[in-house]
Amino acid sequence: MKVEIWSDITCPWCYVAQARFEKALAAFPHRGAVEVEHKSYELEPGRAKGDVEPIIKVLMKGKGWTEAQALANERNLTAQSAGEGLPYVAGRDHGSTFHIHRLLHFAKARGKQHELVKALYRANFGEEGSLFADDERLVALAAEVGLDADAARKVLAAPDAYADDVRADEREGAQLGVAGVPFFVFDRQYGVSGAQSTEAFTRALTQAWGDRSPLQAVEGADDAHVCGPDGCPVPH
Amino acid sequence: MKVEIWSDITCPWCYVAQARFEKALAAFPHRGAVEVEHKSYELEPGRAKGDVEPIIKVLMKGKGWTEAQALANERNLTAQSAGEGLPYVAGRDHGSTFHIHRLLHFAKARGKQHELVKALYRANFGEEGSLFADDERLVALAAEVGLDADAARKVLAAPDAYADDVRADEREGAQLGVAGVPFFVFDRQYGVSGAQSTEAFTRALTQAWGDRSPLQAVEGADDAHVCGPDGCPVPH
């Protein structure tokens, strides 16, 4: 069974939902047969890479809030995260995530995507310091999960590296109806939108597992040629 | 819509089927919305990398054929391939493909998987010279499709590079019931086994396209928190 998760590293509800999904998965009897893949989604696709602002300012501008209201919002997120045992430092930098998604595709190609997602969430929401000030913080996190620092640095410095993969994920998400994140897709059959409860994720896993169906054969020649362990039979 | 193709580069029917599938896809009205992914399958997972033999010898040993019978078999494949406009040089080397599948995963990570699959088929079946003599032929093919030659060489020299990806594809195939190749999977819903006709592939594309269904929502809170273009609403 395959679970695909569309998310953005600047999305606090993705951070919370990821923890809830992992709780559900850890208790799922068939967890060994569940493959998880992270897909790119940008909350702010229009923002340029160098355009970094404190989230408090972004909230004040975007929502027309006072500084006190924006801070209250952040403290609320601290409380929600604490409910899942997650650290959340109120106030953080906000910026474009396109290069971070590119880095996540590089990590995926090296089997470290999940580890890097977790490290990025923790660094962005749970630790002091900006994820957006320069690329070196990202390089350090990549190295921390076992990726080659130089290779990661090169990926970040090359704007086209893995850019097509990010765009392909975004296109695929749009086709599936992903209009906000987090969005969890189970075997391309079931969708779970938002930071649902651990119980809802358990329900989704159970339902999708129960509904796994064998592939249907498309009408064709029964004796179409196949190569297998015994070789490649050839018509006489 | 997604089409996944399990195949092995030493499988002549995969070579033929790939051409037929591509013909069907080229004429498919929704081809722009079809994503194609190549998946690893080894015809001979037990063969060691250095263990290279002429296919004629492999056929004589495996099938108990005379040399004349083995050659006739190869000539038959030449005729079948010609039917699809594909060159097929009778007689070729046969060897382990694990490292080739690793290279294909490296190519996939760089957006060149499809190009490399085609180059490998052409080199293995349509050209003189062995794909298995040393890694340099593979490096040259990788470079030909735009991959970095040094990086490709490093991948081939590191037995663990992308090895997990190959094994994951093989596990996934086994779970889906892939017991021989080529095997085409449409949206994880329909399966097409063997070198079917172009018409059968058209039927599969049409059927799978018509059956695309929106994701079903799993029961959960309707107001679960989502981050979207308007930010991340927070409960008050």
Side-chain angles (χ1 to χ4, degrees), chain A residues 1-2 4 10-14 20 32-33 35 37 39 41 43-44 63 65 73 76-77 80 105-106 108-111 162 165 168 172 175-196 200 203-204 207 211 213-236, chain B residues 1-2 4 10-14 20 32-33 35 37 39 41 43-44 63 65 73 76-77 80 105-106 108-111 162 165 168 172 175-196 200 203-204 207 211 213-236:
Chain A
M1 190 164 74
K2 186 162 186 174
E4 293 160 296
T10 53
C11 153
W13 294 122
C14 300
R20 290 179 185 164
E35 186 196 348
E37 188 176 336
K39 298 283 204 170
Y41 182 97
L43 281 183
E44 255 193 284
K63 308 273 182 189
W65 285 347
N73 185 82
N76 200 328
L77 280 167
Q80 297 273 334
H105 274 282
F106 161 74
K108 180 177 157 193
R110 277 153 187 73
Y162 299 96
D165 293 316
E172 232 179 333
Q175 277 174 10
L176 288 167
V178 178
V181 284
F183 199 98
F184 294 72
V185 174
F186 296 76
D187 268 348
R188 290 285 167 117
Q189 202 180 354
Y190 292 100
V192 169
S193 172
Q196 299 282 356
R203 204 151 46 226
Q207 207 159 326
D211 275 13
S213 51
L215 294 172
Q216 298 169 53
V218 172
E219 206 194 323
D222 284 343
D223 60 347
H225 307 304
V226 173
C227 295
D230 295 329
C232 307
V234 173
H236 301 293
Chain B
M1 190 163 76
K2 187 163 186 175
E4 295 160 295
T10 54
C11 153
W13 295 122
C14 301
R20 291 181 183 164
E35 186 195 350
E37 189 177 335
K39 299 283 206 168
Y41 181 97
L43 281 183
E44 255 195 283
K63 308 271 181 188
W65 285 346
N73 185 80
N76 199 329
L77 281 167
Q80 296 274 333
H105 273 283
F106 161 71
K108 179 176 157 194
R110 277 152 186 74
Y162 298 97
D165 292 316
E172 233 178 333
Q175 278 174 9
L176 288 167
V178 179
V181 285
F183 199 97
F184 295 71
V185 175
F186 297 75
D187 269 348
R188 290 286 167 117
Q189 201 180 354
Y190 292 100
V192 169
S193 172
Q196 299 281 356
R203 206 151 44 228
Q207 207 159 326
D211 276 13
S213 52
L215 294 171
Q216 298 170 52
V218 171
E219 206 195 323
D222 285 341
D223 60 346
H225 308 303
V226 173
C227 296
D230 294 329
C232 308
V234 172
H236 300 292

